[in-house]
Amino acid sequence: MVFHTEQIDEEKSTIAILILAAGASTRMGTPKQLLLYQGRSFLQYITEMAIASVCQPVVVVLGANAEQIYPQIKQFPVTIVNNPNWACGMSTSIKSGIELLNNLPQKIEAVVITLCDQPFVSNQIINQLVDAYYSTKKPIIACEYGGTLGVPALFSQIFFSELAALKETSGAKRIINNNLNQVFSISFTLGNIDIDTPKDYEQLQVVLQKSMISES
């Protein structure tokens, strides 16, 4: 079910971006998509970063608490998809997004997959993935942080069927690890910071406050 679709300009880039925001935030105890970050919610922030990037179209997958979260981004020029199977794992959200992309009138060449709980993802990082895709010709461009490869990551259309076929408990990282010879990575040191618990969120506030003090 698609909640809301803006008219997509077919002349724009065919590199789509898929924001996964369907989780229930059980460890946080409240929808982390709605937590305040730099004057807006986490989901509003990453949606703004996606819109400011070279990627088009922007697709947001909602699931748990969708009715509560939807008003946060309904005004943005994005396509919002509801994943009724969100409780079965992240793979179902990836599948929902890929199915939508496969049914668009224009050919989507690749997709950037990102989450809403990595607060330091920026439009610059997203654009670096796209730039590396065009310059290296590698079909997977992943971010490297904390000794691992992960999202945000770009996948060529040749991996869409594999993305849509991921098992319920799997994420896109499985495809990265299964195809390392086809991966180019970019450094994203702050990518290992994600927000899953109240303690994570508190620590983020401390980091941001220190940063503001040092800049003043």
Side-chain angles (χ1 to χ4, degrees):
M1 172 184 173
V2 177
F3 275 137
H4 164 80
T5 306
E6 290 285 344
Q7 183 66 35
I8 294 168
D9 185 344
E10 295 184 30
E11 294 181 358
K12 291 186 178 179
S13 168
T14 53
I15 307 291
I17 184 165
L18 183 61
I19 301 171
L20 306 181
S25 309
T26 52
R27 286 191 284 168
M28 181 62 69
T30 189
K32 59 186 174 183
Q33 297 94 328
L34 302 180
L35 291 175
L36 284 179
Y37 176 63
Q38 297 191 358
R40 64 278 226 200
S41 69
F42 270 134
L43 184 54
Q44 286 175 326
Y45 170 81
I46 188 61
T47 302
E48 289 175 4
M49 293 301 103
I51 292 169
S53 77
V54 297
C55 295
Q56 184 70 231
V58 177
V59 178
V60 182
V61 182
L62 300 182
N65 307 300
E67 292 79 8
Q68 183 181 356
I69 297 168
Y70 169 69
Q72 290 277 307
I73 55 171
K74 66 179 182 179
Q75 75 275 21
F76 289 121
V78 301
T79 300
I80 303 173
V81 181
N82 183 45
N83 171 21
N85 300 314
W86 61 266
C88 294
M90 189 180 297
S91 64
T92 62
S93 290
I94 295 174
K95 181 178 180 179
S96 295
I98 294 297
E99 287 179 347
L100 182 138
L101 295 178
N102 282 336
N103 287 315
L104 291 177
Q106 74 270 44
K107 179 177 173 60
I108 302 299
E109 183 179 351
V111 63
V112 173
I113 295 178
T114 192
L115 309 175
C116 72
D117 64 355
Q118 287 176 293
F120 294 103
V121 171
S122 64
N123 57 308
Q124 289 90 350
I125 289 292
I126 296 167
N127 289 347
Q128 283 181 40
L129 293 170
V130 176
D131 288 344
Y133 170 71
Y134 285 122
S135 62
T136 68
K137 309 301 183 184
K138 288 284 190 176
I140 299 176
I141 312 295
C143 285
E144 183 175 1
Y145 45 83
T148 189
L149 299 174
V151 296
L154 180 151
F155 298 87
S156 165
Q157 191 271 341
I158 64 173
F159 286 104
F160 281 14
S161 60
E162 289 185 48
L163 286 166
L166 282 166
K167 299 301 181 184
E168 290 182 351
T169 57
S170 301
K173 191 171 181 178
R174 176 180 293 274
I175 292 180
I176 295 172
N177 291 334
N178 287 347
N179 298 277
L180 290 176
N181 63 324
Q182 300 191 70
V183 176
F184 181 84
S185 65
I186 66 170
S187 176
F188 178 31
T189 306
L190 294 175
N192 64 341
I193 298 176
D194 57 14
I195 309 302
D196 289 320
T197 66
K199 184 177 181 180
D200 293 338
Y201 187 50
E202 291 170 11
Q203 290 176 337
L204 175 64
Q205 304 309 312
V206 172
V207 169
L208 293 174
Q209 288 173 1
K210 288 182 178 178
S211 175
M212 289 175 63
I213 291 171
S214 65
E215 290 175 1
S216 61

